[in-house]
């Protein structure tokens, strides 16, 4: 099991531009205690870890592992969504920004969408303020479209499809966005709408 190190405490304290005394005051210990932790002559008690993490502006997990993460996606634009699909059970996981996900014991890489090609052409019609989406594609257990998704800057809609089902889905128009189709053999394809 990993535990917080003096090096991590010192780096985080200096990053927040805190003196040992200022950090000590925030968590109700002495500055000598902070010095001992930073020089490896002692460790913070588990009961104070939550307060220490809060004072240093990190999660408890980051404090304990020293693996510091910075939010590289402050805008939260849904068009930056990533899709992960389990090759065993077909589960769909979405994330706005990079993540690490596993399903059925398999680490899942994010799917990379390609532009539509001849055999995976996403057809779109506008019908009653909706996008009517279809594909001319096989739909059997060995080769099918698993899902369609409509992504705008503020929302995501996913329609799960199953073998032997027609590929026809309606999405309520919400502005410019991206349509995605996932083929279980050839991967993900996209079309701007």
């Amino acid at each position: 099991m990993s535990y917080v190190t003096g090096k991590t405490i010192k780096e985080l304290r200096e990053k927040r531009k805190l003196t040992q005394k200022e950090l000590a005051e925030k968590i109700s210990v002495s500055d000598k205690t902070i010095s001992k932790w930073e020089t490896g002559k002692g460790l913070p008690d588990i009961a104070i870890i939550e307060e220490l993490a809060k004072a240093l502006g990190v999660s408890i997990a980051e404090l304990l592992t020293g693996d510091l993460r910075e939010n590289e996606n402050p805008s939260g634009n849904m068009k930056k969504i990533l899709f992960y699909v389990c090759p065993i059970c077909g589960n769909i996981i979405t994330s706005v920004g990079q993540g690490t996900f596993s399903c059925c014991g398999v680490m899942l890489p994010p799917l990379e969408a390609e532009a539509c090609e001849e055999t995976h052409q996403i057809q779109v019609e506008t019908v009653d303020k909706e996008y009517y989406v279809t594909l001319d594609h096989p739909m059997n257990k060995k080769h099918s479209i698993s899902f369609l998704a409509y992504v705008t800057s503020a929302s995501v809609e996913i329609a799960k499809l199953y073998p032997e089902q027609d590929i026809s889905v309606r999405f309520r128009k919400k502005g410019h966005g991206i349509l995605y189709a996932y083929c279980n053999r050839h991967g993900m394809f996209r079309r701007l709408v």
Side-chain angles (χ1 to χ4, degrees):
M1 179 173 125
S2 63
Y3 198 72
V4 63
T5 65
K7 180 182 177 209
T8 300
I9 294 170
K10 184 176 181 178
E11 285 176 4
L12 290 170
R13 178 182 59 77
E14 289 175 344
K15 185 177 177 182
R16 303 231 354 139
K17 296 182 178 22
L18 294 171
T19 65
Q20 288 181 344
K21 186 172 183 165
E22 289 168 332
L23 178 58
E25 288 171 1
K26 285 180 174 276
I27 59 173
S28 302
V29 298
S30 72
D31 55 340
K32 288 181 183 177
T33 300
I34 302 292
S35 177
K36 286 179 184 177
W37 295 344
E38 290 184 358
T39 58
K41 295 178 182 162
L43 293 171
D45 189 83
I46 192 73
I48 202 169
I49 291 295
E50 187 175 353
E51 287 177 70
L52 181 59
K54 187 176 179 183
L56 294 171
V58 295
S59 69
I60 294 171
E62 288 173 310
L63 180 62
L64 292 175
T65 63
D67 185 14
L68 308 176
R69 303 288 174 153
E70 297 214 12
N71 184 358
E72 295 172 2
N73 185 17
S75 67
N77 184 335
M78 294 306 288
K79 287 184 181 176
K80 295 180 182 180
I81 195 165
L82 296 173
F83 293 90
Y84 302 80
V85 176
C86 179
I88 297 168
C89 70
N91 275 343
I92 305 162
I93 299 170
T94 61
S95 171
V96 178
Q98 194 73 31
T100 303
F101 302 98
S102 65
C103 188
C104 298
V106 177
M107 291 301 293
L108 305 176
L111 299 175
E112 290 188 28
E114 300 175 27
C116 289
E117 58 177 40
E118 201 172 300
T119 58
H120 293 93
Q121 195 66 12
I122 302 171
Q123 289 124 27
V124 183
E125 293 178 54
T126 300
V127 178
D128 297 327
K129 298 182 182 177
E130 292 181 322
Y131 288 126
Y132 179 63
V133 182
T134 59
L135 271 91
D136 183 24
H137 191 279
M139 285 298 282
N140 56 59
K141 290 183 180 178
K142 292 184 178 183
H143 191 192
S144 64
I145 297 295
S146 297
F147 69 89
L148 294 174
Y150 171 45
V151 179
T152 66
S153 61
S155 69
V156 176
E157 282 186 64
I158 298 174
K160 179 74 173 128
L161 302 172
Y162 298 94
E164 313 306 329
Q165 179 181 3
D166 286 339
I167 306 172
S168 61
V169 175
R170 287 181 180 241
F171 294 112
R172 192 167 45 93
K173 282 178 82 172
K174 296 177 186 165
H176 296 290
I178 306 168
L179 286 169
Y180 291 97
Y182 177 72
C183 172
N184 68 340
R185 284 190 166 222
H186 300 103
M188 183 169 282
F189 298 88
R190 72 179 182 282
R191 175 182 171 170
L192 299 176
V193 288

